[in-house]
Amino acid sequence: MKKGRFIVFEGLDGSGKSTQILEVAKELRRRGEKVWLTAEPTVSPTGSYIRTILAESLEKDMYLQGALFLADRIEHNTDPEDGILKHLKDGETVICDRYYYSSFAYQGTGSDLNWLMQMNLSCSQIAKPDLCIFLDVDPLTCKNRIDRDREKAELYEHDIMLMEKIRNKFFHVFACLKDKENIVVVDANMEMNEVTKEILKNV
Ligand code: TMP
């Protein structure tokens, strides 16, 4: 069924994903590809509830958070009008800002990683990405950018130690998935243009 390419961007908060996604999409469109940009959490009712939890730094159980992100992801895939599966079937290149790797790294720091992985990876309604690009930026740089650019830090943006832990969890997860998924780590501490070039080499 799937015809388009599915590319996911991951990274810590403040790693520059949004900027790089726009640059990469611009280049792929210039090359004639039809590109659909999307993100998690989504704008669905579940996604909006998650956004409230994040924005207000509500202390919700990590299993509950994992389940909410999972539900949001299933809806994100299966929405018949505007879902990931529909856009892939139409032959579009889908670029998604965050996906299940974020659940593994963020919720995996406070719940059962095996449970999270099993729920997401064994679900037939959740498409497997063709490529995951991880933008690796030093957590201190990310934290400084967040403090500089955002009015108010969100749930996972307050604590540099937690950000370090999440980065380590990402690398642990990538090691677990290395034979099953196509994951590329890009050093995103470089100049913006250099980072874009590096990403495009892999895309
Ligand atoms: P962002 O829109 O700025 O990338 O923020 C989304 C936040 O949600 C970010 O702190 C990471 C978090 N998140 C999770 O904790 N688990 C997930 O599964 C996803 C998709 C995001």
Side-chain angles (χ1 to χ4, degrees):
M1 281 258 286
K2 177 174 167 305
K3 289 192 288 184
R5 290 194 298 161
F6 183 21
I7 302 167
V8 167
F9 279 71
E10 291 281 4
L12 291 179
D13 299 83
S15 59
K17 285 181 289 96
S18 319
T19 312
Q20 289 301 334
I21 285 173
L22 290 178
E23 288 302 311
V24 169
K26 193 163 84 183
E27 176 58 20
L28 295 183
R29 285 179 178 137
R30 197 189 63 75
R31 295 181 193 175
E33 284 187 46
K34 187 149 189 230
V35 179
W36 183 62
L37 297 184
T38 187
E40 292 189 2
T42 71
V43 292
S44 75
T46 312
S48 305
Y49 179 44
I50 295 171
R51 286 271 170 217
T52 306
I53 294 174
L54 295 170
E56 295 179 13
S57 295
L58 304 179
E59 283 189 21
K60 293 287 177 190
D61 181 88
M62 281 295 200
Y63 287 84
L64 172 64
Q65 288 187 41
L68 287 170
F69 279 109
L70 175 74
D72 187 41
R73 188 161 301 125
I74 293 175
E75 189 161 6
H76 193 194
N77 271 272
T78 57
D79 185 310
E81 307 294 323
D82 209 21
I84 293 173
L85 298 176
K86 158 85 169 61
H87 284 275
L88 289 174
K89 186 165 160 270
D90 291 347
E92 293 169 36
T93 297
V94 172
I95 301 186
C96 187
D97 186 342
R98 295 196 184 279
Y99 202 55
Y100 49 54
Y101 313 94
S102 280
S103 289
F104 304 157
Y106 286 77
Q107 283 65 57
T109 55
S111 69
D112 180 349
L113 179 60
N114 288 332
W115 176 76
L116 288 165
M117 290 179 86
Q118 205 188 344
M119 295 271 278
N120 281 272
L121 300 176
S122 69
C123 177
S124 62
Q125 306 300 76
I126 295 181
K128 177 177 161 178
D130 296 298
L131 173 66
C132 167
I133 302 267
F134 179 78
L135 298 185
D136 190 26
V137 177
D138 167 42
L140 185 59
T141 308
C142 292
K143 182 80 179 85
N144 289 339
R145 284 182 190 165
I146 291 164
D147 293 344
R148 188 193 62 199
D149 299 340
R150 316 242 165 111
E151 261 178 36
K152 189 175 158 217
E154 294 197 330
L155 181 60
Y156 293 107
E157 299 175 341
H158 296 280
D159 180 355
I160 180 87
M161 301 284 276
L162 178 60
M163 291 171 78
E164 295 268 10
K165 244 170 120 175
I166 292 168
R167 178 174 176 272
N168 291 339
K169 202 70 164 187
F170 267 117
F171 282 102
H172 171 70
V173 165
F174 295 159
C176 295
L177 293 174
K178 76 176 188 324
D179 298 326
K180 300 191 187 92
E181 305 238 353
N182 186 18
I183 298 162
V184 173
V185 176
V186 170
D187 177 1
N189 295 291
M190 304 177 290
E191 267 295 295
M192 197 190 105
N193 291 352
E194 294 303 313
V195 177
T196 312
K197 270 193 219 154
E198 198 54 37
I199 296 171
L200 285 169
K201 270 191 220 161
N202 292 285
V203 166

